[in-house]
């Protein structure tokens, strides 16, 4: 069974939602049969790489809330993250373009290190002081910590077209599926789960999707084959 997760590194609910989903997946009896694929979704597509501002400022301008409301929201998110065992800095974070990070995540997927890089990006953005925005060497450090080659990462970052098509394809697909926010979880292309739902909701969704997988239908035929007892040898 395949679970696709559309998310953005700048999205705090994606950070929390990933932890909740993984909690459900750890307890899922068929977890070894589940393939998880992370897809790209930018909350702020088209934002310039050097357009960086404090999170509180971004929230007040984008959503028209007061600074006090924005700070209260961050405090609530910090408490939600802590409940999942996640560190979260409620003050002093910044916000910027995540496009290069998504490009790197597609590169990391080819190397089998996508989940490790995503975890590192989330942790750096939400829990650590040094910014992840408009700092290529910071991204190189995080990618190396995830098991990627530093020079290969620099090559990707230096080419703005590298993996750009893959990011845009993910975003178009999200729109086609009706996802206008993240996190958005798609189970076997049959069920969609929107938002950072409690682990119990993810557990039910996993069980339902897994239980409804079509059974394999065997087409009978008389043909030679190999099995535990050996291979059939034609008799002449």
């Amino acid at each position: 069974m395949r679970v696709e997760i559309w998310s953005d590194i700048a999205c705090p609910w994606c950070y929390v939602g990933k932890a909740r989903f993984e909690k459900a997946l750890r307890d899922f009896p068929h977890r070894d049969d589940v393939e998880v694929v992370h897809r790209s979704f930018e909350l702020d597509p088209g934002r310039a790489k050097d357009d960086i501002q404090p999170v509180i400022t971004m929230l007040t301008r984008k959503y028209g809330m007061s600074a006090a409301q924005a700070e209260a929201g961050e405090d609530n998110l910090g408490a939600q993250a802590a409940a999942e065992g996640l560190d979260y800095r409620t003050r002093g974070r910044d916000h910027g373009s995540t496009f290069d990070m998504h490009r790197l995540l597609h590169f990391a997927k080819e190397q089998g290190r996508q989940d490790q890089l995503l975890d590192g990006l989330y942790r750096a953005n939400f829990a650590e002081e040094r910014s992840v925005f408009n700092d290529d060497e910071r991204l190189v450090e995080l990618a190396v910590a995830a098991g990627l080659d530093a020079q290969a990462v620099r090559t990707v970052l230096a080419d703005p077209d590298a993996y750009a098509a893959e990011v845009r394809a993910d975003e178009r697909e999200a729109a086609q599926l009706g996802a206008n926010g993240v996190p958005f979880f798609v189970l076997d292309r049959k069920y969609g789960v929107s938002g950072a739902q409690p682990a119990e909701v993810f557990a039910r969704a996993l069980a339902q999707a897994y239980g409804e997988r079509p059974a394999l239908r065997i087409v009978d035929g008389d043909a030679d084959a190999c099995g535990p007892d050996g291979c059939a040898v034609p008799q002449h």
Side-chain angles (χ1 to χ4, degrees), residues 5-173:
I5 307 174
W6 273 263
S7 59
D8 191 14
I9 300 92
C11 165
W13 287 119
C14 296
Y15 179 47
V16 173
K18 185 175 188 291
R20 291 176 176 172
F21 171 77
E22 289 175 347
K23 180 180 179 181
L25 186 60
R26 280 194 300 270
D27 295 333
F28 185 54
H30 308 287
R31 61 185 177 277
D32 292 339
D33 296 329
V34 179
E35 176 194 11
V36 178
V37 178
H38 297 283
R39 302 288 193 190
S40 298
F41 189 107
E42 293 171 277
L43 290 174
D44 211 347
R47 189 183 189 98
K49 185 171 180 174
D50 60 356
D51 183 4
I52 304 167
Q53 61 185 170
V55 165
I56 298 300
T57 301
M58 180 275 293
L59 291 171
T60 59
R61 292 178 178 175
K62 188 171 183 177
Y63 301 106
M65 59 179 66
S66 68
Q69 288 173 322
E71 289 174 351
E74 284 294 286
D75 289 339
N76 175 56
L77 280 162
Q80 298 272 357
E84 304 303 329
L86 301 171
D87 292 327
Y88 189 99
R89 295 176 66 234
T90 60
R91 300 292 185 274
R93 293 192 303 106
D94 57 6
H95 176 80
S97 170
T98 57
F99 184 59
D100 283 350
M101 299 179 219
H102 284 294
R103 294 196 300 114
L104 281 181
L105 284 166
H106 277 279
F107 168 67
K109 180 184 176 184
E110 289 184 349
Q111 311 302 312
R113 310 302 293 175
Q114 186 185 49
D115 195 64
Q116 292 84 346
L117 178 57
L118 182 58
D119 279 341
L121 291 169
Y122 275 144
R123 185 169 54 253
N125 184 42
F126 291 108
E128 299 175 4
E129 283 193 36
R130 185 176 169 188
S131 176
V132 295
F133 300 105
N134 198 22
D135 185 347
D136 284 359
E137 282 307 302
R138 175 62 166 151
L139 296 184
V140 171
E141 290 175 11
L142 294 169
V144 169
L148 297 170
D149 176 74
Q151 190 52 51
V153 171
R154 291 190 182 96
T155 299
V156 172
L157 290 171
D159 179 2
D161 292 328
Y163 300 96
E166 287 83 348
V167 175
R168 298 308 182 209
D170 276 358
E171 293 174 338
R172 286 194 301 272
E173 195 163 13

